[in-house]
Amino acid sequence: MRSMSYPLKNSGIFNVRNVFYNVVVPELFEHALEKKEGVLLAVRFINEYAYASVFVDNMFLEPTPEELEHFVPEFTVICAPRFKANPAQDGVRSEAFVIINFTEKKVIIGGTSYCGEIKKAIFTVMNYILPGKGILPMHCSANVGERGDVAIFFGLSGTGKTSLSADVTRSLIGDDEHGWSDHGVFNFEGGCYAKSIFLSHQKEPQIWDAIRYGAIMENLYLDPETRVPDYHDGRYTENTRVSYPIEFIPNAQIPGIGGHPEVVIFLTADAFGVMPPITK
């Protein structure tokens, strides 16, 4: 899967998507990503599947009724899992694609049902927009202690950002996407997207308890008779996921705002033992 950013010149994907969604789209959600500097990035999501709209509801910040009255989307995200690209015709590399058009302010996701593409597409947009506003976008988790001491955790997927930031002794600011401004750090999102392979209540009790009505599980194997998920089964992929609103974490800091970090941790998962798990 590659994310591409280029003008849609000769590609037929965009027109096909417009027609497809004018005919069969069942869900239309309007959400916003709030930047704590007083600027609001309004995003409209058009999803083929209802569960993708639940994902959006979990992961993004909810506009107030007053904001919705005057809602004008600055970006539109169209997610069409059943629509597959023709690489030879459309100039892409596979049937699955993520196309971001910064001129028309549209995102088109096709050929994949993985909801992570929805959040990462908007994160890509934030990476393009925010540096010009003096804000550093960061792929990291963050939490804060009782005395206001903020820690942030950088790392690739599966290195422990979500797990380590969900600390019962500290308040969770956010688990994945943040901005760092002159005033401190703030969470872009309104939910968490935890990797759930080998999840257990003993090791990660807060994440375990967050998996309840309203959460979404992805890529997990369910026992065909009991319908109980097997978190140790990676037959489809080890990238098993669960999405839930941040308020499902009992000590979440809402709104997700903190001061300047006192501790910055870079997490690694080096199978060859060259890099230590944590380096000071």
Side-chain angles (χ1 to χ4, degrees):
M1 171 67 66
R2 293 179 60 85
S3 296
M4 297 153 285
S5 176
Y6 59 84
L8 300 180
K9 293 181 178 178
N10 300 318
S11 173
I13 292 177
F14 184 72
N15 289 331
V16 173
R17 272 309 96 218
N18 265 346
V19 173
F20 182 84
Y21 271 97
N22 285 337
V23 176
V24 304
V25 59
E27 297 290 335
L28 176 61
F29 266 39
E30 293 179 343
H31 283 257
L33 275 174
E34 186 176 353
K35 186 167 69 63
K36 301 303 179 183
E37 308 303 301
V39 178
L40 198 70
L41 178 67
V43 185
R44 173 171 290 161
F45 296 86
I46 303 176
N47 298 309
E48 179 180 1
Y49 294 146
Y51 86 88
S53 290
V54 178
F55 175 86
V56 168
D57 202 32
N58 282 351
M59 298 304 301
F60 292 88
L61 299 175
E62 192 81 35
T64 65
E66 292 76 18
E67 289 167 340
L68 282 176
E69 286 182 8
H70 307 286
F71 187 90
V72 178
E74 297 176 67
F75 264 83
T76 299
V77 179
I78 302 171
C79 184
R82 289 187 295 175
F83 179 71
K84 298 179 180 180
N86 181 331
Q89 175 181 315
D90 296 317
V92 293
R93 299 191 179 189
S94 72
E95 292 181 339
F97 59 90
V98 179
I99 297 176
I100 302 175
N101 187 318
F102 284 96
T103 302
E104 298 185 11
K105 296 188 175 181
K106 290 184 174 69
V107 178
I108 308 172
I109 303 169
T112 174
S113 299
Y114 180 54
C115 282
E117 301 298 349
I118 297 173
K119 73 190 292 291
K120 287 306 178 186
I122 292 300
F123 185 54
T124 300
V125 171
M126 299 296 272
N127 272 270
Y128 179 80
I129 293 174
L130 293 188
K133 299 179 181 295
I135 297 171
L136 174 66
M138 302 180 295
H139 180 209
C140 68
S141 62
N143 62 23
V144 58
E146 291 183 357
R147 61 180 182 85
D149 51 311
V150 174
I152 57 177
F153 304 82
F154 289 94
L156 297 175
S157 174
T159 53
K161 295 188 301 298
T162 300
S163 300
L164 291 173
S165 59
D167 186 335
V168 296
T169 66
R170 299 171 64 83
S171 296
L172 176 67
I173 297 175
D175 84 317
D176 194 53
E177 299 174 6
H178 295 80
W180 190 347
S181 73
D182 291 338
H183 305 293
V185 299
F186 58 93
N187 189 4
F188 288 166
E189 301 179 298
C192 300
Y193 196 43
K195 200 166 185 178
S196 55
I197 191 72
F198 305 127
L199 178 68
S200 69
H201 185 271
Q202 180 181 5
K203 292 181 179 179
E204 298 167 275
Q206 288 195 328
I207 297 173
W208 181 277
D209 292 339
I211 304 175
R212 57 182 190 265
Y213 183 82
I216 295 176
M217 294 184 293
E218 281 191 295
N219 298 332
L220 278 158
Y221 175 74
L222 300 181
D223 185 281
E225 294 184 3
T226 65
R227 307 296 291 169
V228 173
D230 185 348
Y231 296 108
H232 294 268
D233 193 319
R235 68 179 65 190
Y236 303 125
T237 174
E238 287 203 358
N239 188 31
T240 56
R241 293 278 179 172
V242 60
S243 158
Y244 49 88
I246 196 167
E247 56 265 27
F248 281 16
I249 299 295
N251 57 332
Q253 176 139 315
I254 300 173
I257 306 172
H260 293 293
E262 295 185 13
V263 177
V264 178
I265 296 177
F266 291 84
L267 304 169
T268 62
D270 183 6
F272 299 98
V274 176
M275 294 290 291
I278 296 180
T279 301
K280 184 175 181 181

